[in-house]
Amino acid sequence: PPPPAPVNIGGVWDWTETLTNGCHNVGSYRFVQGDSLFGGSFGQAGNDCSGFPNDFRGDVSNGLINGTRITFRVSASGASCDYTGDVSGNPPSAIVGTLVCGAPAGTWRAHPAVPVASISVEPSNGTVVVGWTLPLKALLRNAAGERLFERAVTWTSDNPAVTTVSAAGLVTGVSAGTAGITASVDAQAAQVPVTALAIASLPMTFETVLGVEVMAADGSGRTVLTRAGILEPAWSPDGATLALTVMSGFSLSWWDMCAIYTVRADGSDVRHLTASAECDHSPAWSQDGTKIAFGRGDPACFWYCGVTIWIMNADGSDAMPLTGSGTGWDTRPTWSPDGTKIAFESYDWNTDHYDIYVMNADGSGAVNLTNDVGFNIDPAWSRDGVLAFVRNGDIWVMNADGSGGGATNLTANLGFESNPAWSPDGTEIVFVSSLENSCWYPDPPCRHAGSDLYVVGRDGGGLRQLTATDEYEANPAWLPAAPPPGSPVVAGARSNTLQRGAHSLGVRPQRRLRVAPQR
């Protein structure tokens, strides 16, 4: 007799699995069948056998049906597992089998999709910057409280004039206000409020494990602006454009592939400015907004690697080096108020010194301002000509020409400080501080574990803490105040260079695992 026709498993199946190492996961498959072959997709909730709670989505491939016996592979994030199973029931009502994920093995069972019994949305109370996006995630559960996936969720906004929402749950801020965003599937629905805020109300911009965040000057209203792997925010002098370091092959501990991008404050006009074979990082705007200085080279490479200061037009054209490719590195450029000079940090293997230098904007006439045996890094030039910098883990200030009786320590005995940035009026400095030096100090891309943002007056008074987390904050940048009448503004020439929507720098839908910044 002819072999039996292959069983039809097309559709959504909910499943559970248990591995020999104690890992337990739940999820759903969407099988797409063609005769004896099938593929599809899956969603999964569990710990991925790694000990960290997480959600996964991936592909089903290599599916083969022989009578009631099935085999297939699932793949996600570069890992794969092989499954076998036996289908029972007519029509099919259960699949029971085994799986192998590298060394661990286990068992799994599945049944046809059940109705959604409840739905919730994360975050439960979201904020989004006008012009930018916030992804929401719908969590579906069965009557037993287990997570379900592979269902079509309908998203709606009750006030599209404030926020819109896509079919995938991506919320876009349209104008300041609050709207209710509803996710529904089957007979279940859940609504969460999402508040859209103007970026002008969130002038503090900084980098975290989530990406780039913004908040009010008092530390309230923290809102994620971009996805993880986007670092070192730097505002143009008129506050219209944000320059960023974008990592390719995301890693917080090894900077070998990164580039400078810009994006408008309203989330539009994303531009890819540099595309070298090295890491382009630490962008800094000239005061007239026509130029960007930056570092080129891997700033995490200590062993005879050269990092140099470069300069380019604000649209990415005419890039040229300003400093040579000696041993060590030159990085962290900052412009003088009149645009004629650039200060930077420099390290030389021959002397083993970390010092602050200042040079003309064409790269000539470099002068060592600190000439100190300690670590002198992270210069930041105020609009009235004062340099803040880091010396041996404290924030110091000095006159930019080295005059005035030397430098003054503003944060003695506070902790390990880095990344000073001036307020627009020049009266305060925001900086990063950590109780522990968790980096190979003074590693330029250091992210101190458990670091937080502080503000101090330029005379050392008025110290206050802005954030308190167990992760890290780094590279703060203050959104500039509106420029005075008649002042130069950023050149706004439009090019055809990678003009993409704000979603290309959008936030990730969930928190990443905590990153330990030690090297």
Side-chain angles (χ1 to χ4, degrees), residues 206-209 222 252-253 255 302 332 375 377-378 390-395 411 414-420 431-454 467-476 514-519:
F206 54 101
E207 165 199 329
T208 73
V209 70
R222 285 185 63 162
L252 289 178
S253 62
W255 290 34
F302 279 77
R332 296 284 191 184
F375 298 131
I377 59 174
D378 280 0
V390 174
R391 171 174 289 173
N392 298 333
D394 290 326
I395 304 298
T411 62
L414 177 63
F416 294 90
E417 279 78 70
S418 58
N419 305 152
F431 62 94
V432 175
S433 183
S434 175
L435 294 178
E436 296 184 13
N437 183 8
S438 55
C439 304
W440 181 12
Y441 188 80
D443 186 347
C446 165
R447 273 99 179 126
H448 291 294
S451 58
D452 291 301
L453 297 184
Y454 288 74
T467 65
T469 68
D470 62 353
E471 293 175 344
Y472 83 89
E473 286 85 25
N475 294 306
R514 178 177 174 180
V515 174
Q518 293 94 331
R519 295 187 60 242

Side-chain angles (χ1 to χ4, degrees), residues 91-320:
S93 59
I95 308 175
V96 177
T98 60
L99 69 145
V100 177
C101 293
T107 60
W108 70 286
R109 61 177 55 244
H111 54 77
V114 299
V116 174
S118 66
I119 182 171
S120 60
V121 176
E122 290 184 348
S124 60
N125 189 353
T127 57
V128 63
V129 175
V130 172
W132 296 77
T133 59
L134 169 70
L136 298 181
K137 180 169 66 174
L139 278 63
L140 315 179
R141 301 184 187 276
N142 61 21
E146 295 175 327
R147 293 280 302 281
L148 304 174
F149 298 84
E150 298 296 330
R151 271 71 167 177
V153 178
T154 300
W155 294 91
T156 57
S157 170
D158 67 4
N159 193 348
V162 172
T163 62
T164 60
V165 61
S166 73
L170 190 66
V171 177
T172 299
V174 177
S175 63
T178 300
I181 305 297
T182 299
S184 59
V185 59
D186 295 340
Q188 306 298 321
Q191 186 180 84
V192 297
V194 174
T195 299
L197 300 173
I199 200 165
S201 67
L202 303 168
M204 200 71 72
T205 310
F206 54 101
E207 165 199 329
T208 73
V209 70
L210 298 179
V212 172
E213 296 190 40
V214 291
M215 67 182 179
D218 62 1
S220 63
R222 285 185 63 162
T223 303
V224 178
L225 200 64
T226 73
R227 63 173 174 81
I230 299 179
L231 317 174
E232 299 186 316
W235 283 105
S236 62
D238 65 351
T241 306
L242 187 62
L244 301 158
T245 300
V246 178
M247 308 292 288
S248 58
F250 175 51
S251 168
L252 289 178
S253 62
W254 195 253
W255 290 34
D256 55 356
M257 293 295 292
C258 42
I260 306 298
Y261 282 68
T262 58
V263 58
R264 304 289 289 182
D266 63 4
S268 67
D269 194 20
V270 178
R271 302 189 188 191
H272 184 177
L273 300 189
T274 67
S276 73
E278 300 181 85
C279 174
D280 297 331
H281 60 278
S282 301
W285 294 84
S286 62
Q287 288 303 324
D288 64 1
T290 63
K291 305 284 186 181
I292 296 176
F294 61 97
R296 172 165 288 179
D298 182 357
C301 178
F302 279 77
W303 302 108
Y304 302 101
C305 301
V307 181
T308 57
I309 303 295
W310 284 61
I311 190 174
M312 63 183 171
N313 293 329
D315 62 2
S317 63
D318 297 334
M320 61 165 49

Side-chain angles (χ1 to χ4, degrees), residues 345-362:
E345 70 177 62
S346 181
Y347 171 73
D348 194 323
W349 278 104
N350 295 324
T351 62
D352 198 30
H353 280 192
Y354 302 78
D355 281 304
I356 305 299
Y357 282 72
V358 64
M359 63 182 172
N360 296 323
D362 63 2

